[in-house]
Amino acid sequence: MFDKLLRKKTTAVPSTLQERVTIAKEKPMPTHVAIIMDGNGRWAKQRKLPRIAGHHEGMKTVRKTTLFANDLGIRVLTLYAFSTENWKRPKREIDFLMKLPGEFLSTYLPELVENNVKVEMIGSSELLPAHTKEAIQKAMEATADNDGMILNFAMNYGSRFEIAEAVKNLAHQLSENLIQLDELTEENVSSAMMTAHLPDPDLLIRTSGEVRLSNFMLWQLAYAELAFTDVLWPDFNEANMLDIIEDYQKRSRRFGSLEGDEIK
Ligand code: FPP
């Protein structure tokens, strides 16, 4: 009898990561998650290692996060891997960062293919070294037919540059009479962005305790939920990601409107 009473009173508290994943998957999952992967330098500094060691460890977190996001059923994962402002860093660090897509993809491409992940890129490939472009191109070709999660690398990406390019493109269409001024809508602008074929991010995560957007997806993040964590990117793990997803699932996304019962 005691046993029966006890069983009745016990509410199951999910303890393992797997149990939490199962519960999270029954609730609305963000379709598109965008991440500003920050804190590699500080992670390395804490260990008296060169900054590039932090970036290398960060690459392993890219793999872990990609597999976990895929498991959760997230459809698009956009990772800010190199910004247009990152060219201001020392040449040695830039050279290292430019080698990471090659190392990442030569190591993990078979695993991405196996998991039906499709690799894509936003940003301007013009200034990227040939070996970086080739590695990304090869991965995009190898995964072109995959219809699972899109792993979208933002490489040499800057939001203001993207917006300026979109404005140029639309101005050209106007001057050629391909569209009329009164036809210029938010949808046209979205279609002129590098993310034209993607839904806007539902959730933006930035690691390392910094609370800013750093020229990342400024147009697309208009209605995203924002999540900032103090965890440095190389330390970011599945439990940290799940904490954020669970928090996201508790939020009420109103897109400027009201809750159903508040609309009279
Ligand atoms: C910001 O941390 C991070 C970057 C500029 C680079 C991010 C790149 C990776 C995580 C690896 C990318 C991997 C692939 C496969 C493309 P920071 O260096 O500014 O850190 P800090 O603020 O602590 O100095």
Side-chain angles (χ1 to χ4, degrees):
M1 187 181 125
F2 278 129
D3 195 37
K4 247 187 188 174
L5 278 174
L6 277 176
R7 244 187 284 148
K8 249 190 186 168
K9 283 197 169 166
T10 312
T11 41
V13 178
S15 55
T16 68
L17 193 77
Q18 198 43 55
E19 282 170 345
R20 289 173 61 197
V21 167
T22 306
I23 292 168
K25 282 167 95 166
E26 286 161 6
K27 298 180 184 166
M29 194 56 75
T31 303
H32 184 171
V33 176
I35 307 186
I36 302 177
M37 308 181 287
D38 198 6
N40 296 346
R42 276 163 283 168
W43 182 93
K45 197 173 176 193
Q46 282 173 0
R47 289 160 181 78
K48 300 193 173 23
L49 294 169
R51 292 178 55 79
I52 57 172
H55 294 314
H56 196 261
E57 200 61 27
M59 181 191 75
K60 296 181 194 163
T61 308
V62 168
R63 175 201 175 223
K64 202 165 45 181
T65 307
T66 301
L67 295 178
F68 190 56
N70 192 40
D71 275 355
L72 287 174
I74 288 163
R75 301 299 302 152
V76 187
L77 179 67
T78 297
L79 302 178
Y80 204 8
F82 193 89
S83 75
T84 45
E85 289 71 32
N86 288 150
W87 294 108
K88 294 177 202 152
R89 295 191 177 206
K91 184 175 181 310
R92 181 175 130 84
E93 185 171 341
I94 294 173
D95 289 348
F96 189 83
L97 284 169
M98 288 299 154
K99 283 190 192 133
L100 284 183
E103 181 179 345
F104 176 81
L105 293 164
S106 64
T107 316
Y108 302 121
L109 187 57
E111 192 176 52
L112 297 179
V113 173
E114 206 177 291
N115 282 281
N116 197 22
V117 171
K118 185 175 189 189
V119 176
E120 293 191 1
M121 186 195 122
I122 52 170
S124 170
S125 60
E126 248 170 58
L127 291 176
L128 300 179
H131 63 85
T132 313
K133 272 192 258 190
E134 279 158 23
I136 297 172
Q137 191 58 36
K138 190 179 146 210
M140 282 176 18
E141 281 164 19
T143 61
D145 293 332
N146 290 357
D147 58 5
M149 189 183 80
I150 294 175
L151 172 59
N152 184 30
F153 286 111
M155 276 300 287
N156 190 25
Y157 173 86
S159 188
R160 287 184 168 185
F161 173 79
E162 179 189 33
I163 292 170
E165 287 297 299
V167 170
K168 256 192 253 174
N169 180 315
L170 292 168
H172 176 74
Q173 291 185 43
L174 283 168
S175 70
E176 297 290 313
N177 273 326
L178 297 170
I179 52 167
Q180 303 307 310
L181 195 54
D182 57 6
E183 288 169 4
L184 204 50
T185 60
E186 290 184 20
E187 285 71 30
N188 291 128
V189 179
S190 288
S191 303
M193 296 289 175
M194 293 165 180
T195 49
H197 62 299
L198 299 174
D200 286 341
D202 304 288
L203 174 63
L204 168 88
I205 301 172
R206 183 172 190 146
T207 57
S208 90
E210 305 294 346
V211 186
R212 55 178 173 265
L213 293 179
S214 300
N215 201 16
F216 187 49
M217 303 186 96
L218 302 178
W219 173 267
Q220 297 88 339
L221 291 173
Y223 277 102
E225 295 297 322
L226 309 180
F228 300 95
T229 168
D230 287 340
V231 179
L232 304 177
W233 178 250
D235 289 329
F236 189 72
N237 62 23
E238 290 88 346
N240 303 136
M241 173 105 168
L242 197 51
D243 286 344
I244 292 171
I245 298 286
E246 287 169 347
D247 181 63
Y248 167 90
Q249 291 177 327
K250 285 183 203 138
R251 297 191 195 183
S252 143
R253 300 189 76 200
R254 296 189 298 273
F255 301 94
S257 178
L258 299 175
E259 296 284 12
D261 58 359
E262 286 174 328
I263 304 171
K264 298 254 158 73

